[in-house]
Amino acid sequence: TKPANELDPETITSYELVVEHYTQSKTLLTASLYSNQIDDLISYVEDPDDELFVFTNTNSIDAQGLELGVETRFGHGIRGQFSYTYQQTEDKMTGATLANSPKHMAKANLNAPLFSERVHAGLELQYLSKRKTQQSVDADAYAVANLTISSDRLLHGLSLSASVYNLFDAKIEDPGSTEHEQAVIDQDGRKFLIRASYQF
């Protein structure tokens, strides 16, 4: 690694159109179109003259996308959300798709009371489509589920939660950066987390 000689600040120009609608059943529908134009993007790249990595301003980026969302209440304290995003991110000069830039992303959440209003269970599902790596191969698409049981009113001032991330132990890999030899880097499998906090 070596210090950068000169760096210009990144600039971004954003345009977004958002439409929201509440139905009579208390369901919120959202849709948005967006376009981002990023110039003088700062990237960590290898200098071919000395094979050292350095931060430098690279090409400009175009990113366009569509986001759709639904949020609703089913009664009995049950709430649900769903969102989907389609995006296309390209290098303005070459037209190539950027590394680590998925075209499709989706997320769903369901939250419901257990036994009483004091204990809730939340299930989250996430999907990410395949992503190009720095070596121009693909990191595989994946879907992951996370489960959390929590209570913030079990006792006065006491909050407890227990979570299982990557519930079904799905294989997850992320694209490596320019300084990594690996095209993709495996991420953690199933994880357990318990939290406790007390306010006084």
Side-chain angles (χ1 to χ4, degrees):
T1 301
K2 64 179 182 179
N5 292 327
E6 293 183 3
L7 281 177
D8 295 323
E10 294 180 342
T11 60
I12 181 169
T13 303
S14 297
Y15 304 93
E16 186 173 14
L17 174 65
V18 180
V19 177
E20 296 184 345
H21 175 66
Y22 270 104
T23 69
Q24 293 181 349
S25 59
K26 297 182 180 180
T27 296
L28 174 62
L29 305 175
T30 61
S32 66
L33 289 170
Y34 65 85
S35 175
N36 297 320
Q37 301 174 15
I38 306 170
D39 295 308
D40 294 320
L41 183 71
I42 297 175
S43 299
Y44 192 52
V45 299
E46 183 179 6
D47 189 334
D49 293 334
D50 52 22
E51 298 183 348
L52 294 176
F53 285 93
V54 61
F55 287 100
T56 185
N57 294 108
T58 57
N59 296 337
S60 300
I61 302 300
D62 272 345
Q64 291 87 32
L66 166 69
E67 295 182 358
L68 302 173
V70 179
E71 181 177 347
T72 190
R73 295 179 181 271
F74 298 102
H76 305 288
I78 302 174
R79 294 178 288 114
Q81 293 177 307
F82 174 79
S83 64
Y84 166 77
T85 300
Y86 172 83
Q87 67 176 7
Q88 182 69 46
T89 307
E90 296 180 344
D91 186 309
K92 290 176 65 174
M93 180 176 293
T94 65
T97 300
L98 289 192
N100 200 14
S101 179
K103 284 189 176 183
H104 306 278
M105 295 175 287
K107 181 184 291 188
N109 294 278
L110 187 66
N111 188 281
L114 292 179
F115 314 119
S116 71
E117 291 294 330
R118 293 187 176 186
V119 181
H120 283 74
L123 178 64
E124 178 185 59
L125 305 175
Q126 297 179 359
Y127 170 79
L128 210 64
S129 65
K130 65 181 182 180
R131 290 159 290 163
K132 178 181 174 183
T133 68
Q134 297 289 344
Q135 288 85 346
S136 297
V137 297
D138 289 334
D140 290 337
Y142 69 84
V144 65
N146 303 317
L147 176 65
T148 297
I149 298 176
S150 62
S151 174
D152 56 4
R153 294 182 296 167
L154 193 60
L155 295 173
H156 179 70
L158 178 65
S159 297
L160 297 173
S161 68
S163 301
V164 184
Y165 297 101
N166 195 357
L167 181 63
F168 301 108
D169 200 24
K171 181 182 179 181
I172 301 174
E173 54 186 25
D174 285 339
S177 300
T178 51
E179 69 270 26
H180 294 130
E181 292 185 3
Q182 306 98 315
V184 296
I185 298 176
D186 289 339
Q187 302 300 302
D188 292 337
R190 186 185 296 113
K191 295 184 295 185
F192 300 88
L193 180 64
I194 297 176
R195 291 190 182 97
S197 63
Y198 184 77
Q199 294 182 344
F200 54 89

